[in-house]
Amino acid sequence: MSGTLYGVGLGPGAPDLITLRAARLIEAARVVAYPTLAGGASFARSIAAELIAPDAREIAMDVPMTVERAPAQAAYDAGAAQIAEALEAGEDVVCLCEGDPFFYGSFMYLFARLADRHRVEIVPGVTSLTAAAAAARRPLAARNERLTVLPGPLPEAELRARIEGAESVAIMKLGRHFPKVRAVIDSLGLTSHATYVERATLEAEIVRPLSEAPDTAPYFSMIILTKGADPWL
Amino acid sequence: MSGTLYGVGLGPGAPDLITLRAARLIEAARVVAYPTLAGGASFARSIAAELIAPDAREIAMDVPMTVERAPAQAAYDAGAAQIAEALEAGEDVVCLCEGDPFFYGSFMYLFARLADRHRVEIVPGVTSLTAAAAAARRPLAARNERLTVLPGPLPEAELRARIEGAESVAIMKLGRHFPKVRAVIDSLGLTSHATYVERATLEAEIVRPLSEAPDTAPYFSMIILTKGADPWL
């Protein structure tokens, strides 16, 4: 009897934004898996730390942060092989995912490698998108409004066109792309409609009008831009 | 000492997709508020039902489903007035919100009416967007992909242009707009990339390739369309 792989969304970072279903699965897990970035600590593991049984076996996938995809692909290949081995031995595996497994998450790389041969269940989680909107106190979209999610690494011209044509926009993964994104929003005259949010729901959370944002942004940061066409009334 | 209004996201429908924070707030609540649609039962209340204390006071806002906005606005005015009265009497109020309060939720109408005079905290929730992606087994977006969320009531020409220009798309609130949306996707040759999801995570959930979807769709339904540019590998 083969085991089940659970892709479990943990939410944006505050441990109490984990869902009841995710908490139960993690507490019962005998094997947990998670990515670590470039040898550092695992953000996903840190969110769920209090729920992991002390004697659970842990599969850490060390994913290098490189522009080329081959090294990351090799890390997911190796992680998927370890997970497959546990599943084939009849063990369930709970894979810890920041946010939601299918929203800019690394779990989809495991899903692509394992879902055709193993039972895989996805447990959706709270995304950083709505956590950042809550922190910014900016409702994302209502009624018939469109919402666009853009990654900061997109080329400047594309960002400009997409932001210009959008209603509500979230620009994620700012990191070293922050100055470029900020310049685009500024040149469109939209800075006063934008809020900068860093590490939403964590103790280190920073929320500021974009005009007062810090000069540098980490990867886990976002701009929420709402043009205010709808007065929310 | 004035009370706090909590806008609490409940997730897409399965009670165990409520977050730990939301569950604790609801269990402790002495006053809960929620919308009901056109005199019917409250979907939000049904998700949280097991957590509401039997002696909690309940403020139901009966929101009419009309195309004109004035009747709904009047309902939110009346609900906001009742909530304000409780807050001014020093009571906290937990407002139950399907999905996430700031993602196409009715809570933003209360927020607009109350946030300037009262303490308001937002508790983000799992959205139907990622719950539907999980049900469809379609990762929404990875790496530098864009994600577009479109409401089904948008005009046909706009839907066509937005879907054509998008990478991953979710089309929400299908209801009576389903035949129009389906025709647009069909005419763009994208039907084979689309999955229909109805009432994600509820017992009545339906998940089918769009080509095999039912003829009619309820309001709580969605199409997840991913063009598969990224092989997720």
Side-chain angles (χ1 to χ4, degrees):
Chain A
M1 187 61 184
S2 176
T4 299
L5 171 61
Y6 295 91
V8 172
L10 303 172
D16 66 349
L17 290 175
I18 292 175
T19 65
L20 300 168
R21 186 184 300 178
R24 281 178 199 137
L25 284 167
I26 298 163
E27 283 171 333
R30 308 308 310 148
V31 185
V32 297
Y34 46 81
T36 65
L37 282 181
S42 166
F43 179 40
R45 193 193 184 287
S46 75
I47 300 172
E50 293 297 312
L51 299 169
I52 301 170
D55 59 344
R57 185 154 70 84
E58 305 195 13
I59 298 174
M61 287 166 284
D62 189 37
V63 182
M65 287 279 266
T66 54
V67 174
E68 321 85 75
R69 298 180 69 175
Q73 288 169 324
Y76 290 119
D77 285 343
Q82 277 190 277
I83 290 169
E85 200 179 332
L87 296 174
E88 281 153 20
E91 292 181 298
D92 293 340
V93 178
V94 169
C95 184
L96 307 174
C97 311
E98 306 141 12
D100 179 277
F102 276 180
F103 183 82
Y104 297 100
S106 55
F107 183 74
M108 56 188 79
Y109 302 111
L110 297 173
F111 183 78
R113 284 164 172 77
L114 294 165
D116 57 340
R117 287 171 296 123
H118 297 278
R119 203 164 44 241
V120 181
E121 286 189 25
I122 313 295
V123 179
V126 176
T127 63
S128 57
L129 174 66
T130 65
R137 302 177 82 75
R138 283 193 181 270
L140 282 170
R143 295 165 48 80
N144 294 338
E145 293 186 319
R146 292 174 279 114
L147 169 65
T148 307
V149 182
L150 302 173
L154 288 177
E156 181 166 341
E158 178 164 11
L159 276 174
R160 181 184 310 274
R162 300 286 170 195
I163 293 172
E164 199 165 19
E167 286 177 340
S168 288
V169 196
I171 305 118
M172 301 183 46
K173 309 186 189 190
L174 296 173
R176 65 190 173 83
H177 304 280
F178 184 42
K180 171 189 70 182
V181 175
R182 199 168 180 169
V184 166
I185 294 172
D186 228 29
S187 73
L188 291 168
L190 292 170
T191 297
S192 64
H193 296 264
T195 302
Y196 171 84
V197 182
E198 181 176 317
R199 304 184 201 281
T201 80
L202 294 175
E203 264 188 62
E205 176 184 278
I206 294 176
V207 183
R208 298 205 193 141
L210 180 57
S211 58
E212 298 165 28
D215 289 335
T216 59
Y219 177 85
F220 288 111
S221 62
M222 197 181 305
I223 293 168
I224 303 285
L225 195 166
T226 54
K227 296 187 185 171
D230 192 307
W232 317 114
L233 285 170
Chain B
M1 187 63 184
S2 177
T4 298
L5 171 61
Y6 294 91
V8 172
L10 303 172
D16 66 349
L17 291 176
I18 293 175
T19 64
L20 301 168
R21 186 184 300 177
R24 281 178 199 137
L25 283 167
I26 297 163
E27 284 171 333
R30 309 307 310 146
V31 185
V32 296
Y34 47 81
T36 65
L37 281 180
S42 167
F43 179 39
R45 192 192 186 287
S46 75
I47 300 172
E50 293 297 312
L51 299 169
I52 301 171
D55 59 344
R57 186 154 70 85
E58 304 195 15
I59 298 174
M61 287 166 283
D62 189 37
V63 182
M65 286 280 265
T66 53
V67 175
E68 320 86 75
R69 298 179 68 174
Q73 288 170 323
Y76 290 119
D77 285 343
Q82 278 189 276
I83 291 168
E85 201 179 331
L87 297 173
E88 281 153 19
E91 292 181 299
D92 292 340
V93 177
V94 169
C95 185
L96 307 175
C97 310
E98 306 140 14
D100 180 278
F102 276 179
F103 184 80
Y104 297 100
S106 55
F107 183 74
M108 55 188 79
Y109 303 111
L110 297 174
F111 183 78
R113 284 164 173 77
L114 294 166
D116 57 341
R117 287 171 296 126
H118 297 279
R119 201 163 48 239
V120 181
E121 285 189 26
I122 313 295
V123 179
V126 176
T127 63
S128 56
L129 174 66
T130 65
R137 302 177 82 77
R138 282 193 181 273
L140 282 170
R143 297 165 47 80
N144 294 339
E145 293 186 319
R146 293 173 279 116
L147 169 64
T148 307
V149 182
L150 302 173
L154 288 177
E156 180 166 341
E158 178 163 11
L159 277 174
R160 183 183 310 273
R162 300 285 171 196
I163 293 171
E164 199 164 18
E167 286 178 340
S168 288
V169 196
I171 304 119
M172 301 183 43
K173 309 187 190 192
L174 296 173
R176 64 190 172 82
H177 304 281
F178 184 41
K180 171 189 69 184
V181 174
R182 199 168 179 169
V184 166
I185 293 172
D186 228 29
S187 73
L188 291 168
L190 293 170
T191 297
S192 64
H193 295 264
T195 302
Y196 170 84
V197 181
E198 180 177 318
R199 305 184 197 283
T201 79
L202 294 175
E203 264 189 61
E205 176 183 279
I206 294 175
V207 183
R208 296 203 195 143
L210 181 57
S211 59
E212 298 165 26
D215 290 334
T216 59
Y219 177 85
F220 287 111
S221 62
M222 195 180 305
I223 292 168
I224 303 285
L225 195 167
T226 54
K227 297 189 184 171
D230 192 308
W232 317 115
L233 284 170

